[in-house]
Amino acid sequence: MDNAVVDRPDQSRFELAIGDELALAYYRIDGDRIVLTHTEVPQALSGQGVGSRLAKGVFEQIRASGRKVVPRCSFMAGWVSRHPEYNDIVDG
């Protein structure tokens, strides 16, 4: 389970591949902000920390891009509320 989170801008989503399954975080661009709109983790991967790994990878990539993040997705909003080390990139 050492796969990296990959940005797929042509599909407006981040992906984390685990075997044949994909955990997904959808977004839209709003100026210099990335608005996270929806997260999906396959049922087969539920309860294994995959969503948290996806979230960490997403926030790390957004930080590296120099953009801000707007967590509209309830999962991402909840995750970042427990990880104040990303407060500097949260907007909204």
Side-chain angles (χ1 to χ4, degrees), residues 9-46:
D10 57 318
Q11 297 177 46
S12 298
R13 70 186 193 190
F14 292 96
E15 300 177 352
L16 174 61
I18 306 291
D20 293 336
E21 303 279 355
L22 280 180
L24 306 168
Y26 291 90
Y27 64 85
R28 65 180 168 80
I29 302 295
D30 179 20
D32 66 343
R33 306 182 320 163
I34 295 179
V35 182
L36 299 174
T37 58
H38 181 67
T39 302
E40 294 178 10
V41 175
Q43 187 64 34
L45 301 176
S46 182

Side-chain angles (χ1 to χ4, degrees), residues 39-88:
T39 302
E40 294 178 10
V41 175
Q43 187 64 34
L45 301 176
S46 182
Q48 299 177 37
V50 172
S52 291
R53 287 185 46 223
L54 174 63
K56 180 175 176 54
V58 166
F59 279 84
E60 286 294 324
Q61 287 203 27
I62 293 171
R63 173 176 277 150
S65 76
R67 294 183 170 189
K68 296 287 188 178
V69 61
V70 181
R72 292 281 183 251
C73 163
S74 60
F75 176 82
M76 290 294 187
W79 187 87
V80 78
S81 74
R82 296 184 303 277
H83 293 87
E85 64 269 27
Y86 294 102
N87 285 350
D88 61 311

